[in-house]
Structures are given as C-alpha cells and as structure tokens.
Amino acid sequence: MDRVVRVGVIGYGYWGPNLVRNFNRLADLKVCCDLDEGNRAKIGSLYPDVAVVRDFDEMLGMDVDAVVIATSAPSHYELAKKALGAGKHVFVEKPITLSTETAQELVALADEKKLTLMVGHLLEYHAAVNEVKRYIESGELGQVRYVYSQRLNLGKVRQDENALWSLAPHDISIILYLLGEEPDEVTCRGESYLTEGVQDVVFCTLHFGSGKLANVHVSWLDPHKMRKLTVVGTKKMLVFDDMESTDKIWIYDKGVGDGEGYLSYGEDVRLRFGDITIPFVQMVEPLATECRHFLDCVESGQTPRSDGRDGLRVLKVVEAAQSSLEQRGAPVAIG
Ligand SMILES: NC(=O)c1ccc[n+]([C@@H]2O[C@H](COP(=O)([O-])OP(=O)(O)OC[C@H]3O[C@@H](n4cnc5c(N)ncnc54)[C@H](O)[C@@H]3O)[C@@H](O)[C@H]2O)c1
C-alpha cells in the first residue's frame, strides 16, 4: 500500500473483485459492501483485514474518504448521490447513470461539494489507447476520416441490460476521447435473439459535425472474440487490437491520392501501399492506472480524465443510440 486515501467498495459481483484487488494494493481499503451473502463471504476470506458489510449506510458511516461503486447500472445514481451527499469522493463504474438528468445532478452535486467524481471509462487509461491518441494528435495519420470498433464475443450474456448499455460505453468513451469531439447525430440498429427486449447485437453509427464517422459494433452473440479499433486517416491507417498480447498497434502506411503509388486499374485514383509498423507499447494494467489516477485526483483535487462530465458526454450518446434503436434506426440528433 502506498496511499493514505481510505476507500470503501460497494459491489463484489463480476467486476468489483478487480477494483477491490487494485484498491487493496494502492489505497487503504477499509470496507466492502455487498447485498449477497456468498459475495460477502468471498471478500472475508480473501481480505481478512477489510470490514465487510451488507448495508451501504453502514459503510458511509465508517471512516472512508472515497466510495467505489461497482454495482449494476440502475443503482449508480442513488448510491453515488448518497455517497456525495455524505461527503465522500466517488468512483462509479460505467455508465455513470441511466439518464442525462440524473448524471447532470451528480456532476452538479460533486461540484457543489468540491468532491471528486470519476467514471470507470477504463479504456481511457489503456496505454495503447493513449498511444493511438498520440499518433492522431501528432498528425502522423493525417486527418482522421472515420473510425470503427468491434467488441464481440460469445458471452457474457446479460439479461438486465442490452449490449449497447453493457458494452458500447467502452467504445464510445474511447472514440470521443480520441477524436476530442462529440457527435451531432446517432443511428443505431440491434436485435434481441436470446432475451426478449434485450438486444444481443448492436450496430451504432455516430456522425460528427466535422464530417468524421464512427461505427461501434457490439455483441455477445458472435463467434469471434474481438476488441478492435480501426482508424482511417488521410495519410495512414491504424489498427488497435486489444486481443494481441504485445503487438497491439499496427500502423499501415496506406492511403489514396498522393505519392508515387499504384494507379488503380481503370480509375484516376492513386493508391499507396507502404510499410506496416508495430510500435512497442509498454503495457501496464489499465485498471491499475485508472485506480491510481482516481487516488491522485482525490489527493490533489485535480479533475479526473474521465470525470462526471466525461461520463455525461458518453451517456448522452448511449441515450440517443437507445432512442434510435427503439425507432428502428431513425437518426437522433444530439443537442
Ligand atoms: N470497466 C469494465 O471493464 C467493466 C467490466 C464489467 C462490468 N463493469 C461495470 O461494473 C458494474 C458492475 O457490473 P457487474 O458485472 O460486476 O455486476 P454484477 O451484477 O455481477 O455485480 C454487482 C454486485 O453488486 C451487488 N449490489 C447491487 N446492489 C447493491 C446494493 N444496493 N448494495 C450492496 N450491494 C449491491 C450485487 O449483490 C452484486 O454482487 C456495472 O456498472 C458494469 O457496467 C465494468
């Protein structure tokens, strides 16, 4: 442990154990809270020095500076509001809440109380994503034309939220972070095959005022396990493949319209096929970077990279996409 921030974590289901493991290493983890008796028993056996409670109010009454919320999305708003109200800094898993109104309320409350509010947009803390951002901002890819991401697998099938809410916040947060822009319009199609009313596969397209386009394909009903993002620029093209253990970024010196390249058959279009480079990226567990950043912000008062406003930006897109999904792909403007 190298920190003095006293932390309490609520939610020890699928994702919570990863947060507990990191905060136990990086902070003074005081208490964990879960409604489920079996999960409480697991915490007790793995972390005998950490208090375990069932009741969130009991946790808020203890000596903790910060609360980490890893419960399912519908509970985020009430739990975060209570924690901020009790004067605790808050790290809440994505999505921040289920509506822009409630997210705005949390942002305002954190501002008013001068407390840190951070959202678990994990991939903004991924070393390779930050390397991709560096390539985009350095101009090496030229101007970004369009981006698409694929987050696919067979499982983990969820029944309480669709693939858009469960998976797409990751991709939307990366795309907004990389492009530094918010879309002005969203269209989204998806279908429910396994659970009525819960879309297992979703295709979501974001249009940006600058003319850029982004597509997000998410599914838990797919033969491929894929976590891939492709960026097409005017000079070069880049692929970030998070399933690769080391060679995560591939830069293709390919493009159209300049240089000495090959003149496409029958067309007045010059295509360029150059080298492929795979830069070395020093990998660190993104979750450890994310948790450390939260603790840094609590200690220093600096605004987190994925603060409540970032959570709100992503939520606005997810909300608009859900509205488009319900209207069978009708375009929905984002104000
Ligand atoms: N950053 C990531 O990569 C990532 C990955 C998976 C999930 N998540 C997010 O983490 C959150 C949790 O997801 P999950 O898959 O672990 O859910 P889960 O349903 O597996 O676990 C939630 C846990 O919270 C407990 N809980 C719920 N309400 C509670 C309450 N009021 N008081 C105490 N305990 C309560 C439940 O008993 C359960 O153990 C979600 O917001 C999800 O989107 C993030």
Side-chain angles (χ1 to χ4, degrees):
M1 183 185 81
D2 57 356
R3 304 284 177 151
V4 292
V5 178
R6 297 165 303 177
V7 172
V9 178
I10 176 166
Y12 196 83
Y14 168 72
W15 189 245
N18 296 316
L19 289 158
V20 167
R21 172 172 52 80
N22 273 285
F23 282 110
N24 183 54
R25 193 164 57 80
L26 299 169
D28 183 5
L29 181 66
K30 287 277 182 207
V31 51
C32 291
C33 171
D34 201 294
L35 289 175
D36 183 272
E37 196 181 339
N39 289 342
R40 290 202 302 278
K42 283 185 207 157
I43 306 164
S45 65
L46 282 169
Y47 305 96
D49 297 336
V50 174
V52 185
V53 298
R54 184 184 189 282
D55 180 21
F56 187 50
D57 289 327
E58 192 182 342
M59 180 163 119
L60 291 182
M62 296 171 75
D63 281 336
V64 291
D65 308 301
V67 166
V68 174
I69 300 170
T71 55
S72 52
S75 61
H76 289 179
Y77 165 64
E78 290 296 344
L79 295 173
K81 187 176 164 183
K82 248 188 180 184
L84 291 168
K88 314 294 182 190
H89 301 282
V90 168
F91 174 109
V92 59
E93 261 308 329
K94 55 83 197 159
I96 177 170
T97 64
L98 296 183
S99 74
T100 48
E101 292 75 22
T102 50
Q104 270 158 348
E105 199 185 318
L106 293 185
V107 168
L109 186 57
D111 283 355
E112 181 198 318
K113 298 240 171 200
K114 296 190 174 23
L115 291 166
T116 300
L117 172 60
M118 177 163 149
V119 184
H121 291 161
L122 178 66
L123 294 164
E124 294 183 28
Y125 301 91
H126 194 304
V129 169
N130 281 288
E131 193 65 5
V132 174
K133 188 168 172 65
R134 205 184 59 70
Y135 274 105
I136 291 175
E137 287 175 353
S138 71
E140 188 157 342
L141 307 182
Q143 282 174 2
V144 173
R145 296 288 203 211
Y146 72 93
V147 178
Y148 64 94
S149 70
Q150 296 143 298
R151 186 169 302 278
L152 317 171
N153 198 7
L154 190 60
K156 170 183 182 13
V157 176
R158 293 192 183 255
Q159 291 173 323
D160 51 351
E161 60 179 359
N162 65 21
L164 171 71
W165 286 86
S166 178
L167 303 173
H170 286 303
D171 303 282
I172 293 168
S173 77
I174 303 182
I175 290 167
L176 303 197
Y177 178 58
L178 290 178
L179 300 184
E181 281 181 65
E182 288 175 62
D184 55 10
E185 190 182 83
V186 178
T187 55
C188 186
R189 289 300 302 250
E191 281 299 340
S192 322
Y193 298 108
L194 305 178
T195 308
E196 201 184 329
V198 179
Q199 286 79 8
D200 313 290
V201 55
V202 169
F203 298 88
C204 174
T205 304
L206 320 182
H207 179 270
F208 295 81
S210 60
K212 294 185 186 80
L213 202 62
N215 188 260
V216 174
H217 173 196
V218 286
S219 174
W220 51 60
L221 185 60
D222 198 283
H224 307 286
K225 185 166 169 74
M226 263 174 111
R227 290 176 186 170
K228 208 182 245 191
L229 177 94
T230 303
V231 182
V232 174
T234 49
K235 287 189 192 159
K236 292 184 183 176
M237 303 177 186
L238 181 153
V239 175
F240 160 46
D241 186 349
D242 208 9
M243 293 311 296
E244 290 279 348
S245 52
T246 51
D247 301 343
K248 287 185 183 280
I249 297 178
W250 295 56
I251 299 168
Y252 296 80
D253 186 9
K254 289 186 175 185
V256 174
D258 62 336
E260 293 295 306
Y262 160 73
L263 199 58
S264 168
Y265 178 72
E267 297 167 64
D268 191 18
V269 175
R270 201 168 286 280
L271 305 177
R272 197 188 65 257
F273 296 87
D275 293 339
I276 299 168
T277 41
I278 305 172
F280 172 72
V281 181
Q282 182 71 53
M283 281 311 298
V284 183
E285 186 191 5
L287 188 59
T289 308
E290 183 182 48
C291 294
R292 211 174 277 121
H293 181 65
F294 175 64
L295 297 169
D296 281 344
C297 291
V298 167
E299 282 182 337
S300 68
Q302 89 186 80
T303 304
R305 180 180 301 166
S306 54
D307 67 345
R309 286 179 175 76
D310 188 37
L312 188 54
R313 279 193 291 274
V314 172
L315 179 64
K316 270 189 190 170
V317 179
V318 179
E319 228 179 25
Q322 177 66 32
S323 167
S324 172
L325 192 59
E326 286 164 10
Q327 299 172 67
R328 302 173 60 80
V332 173
I334 299 183

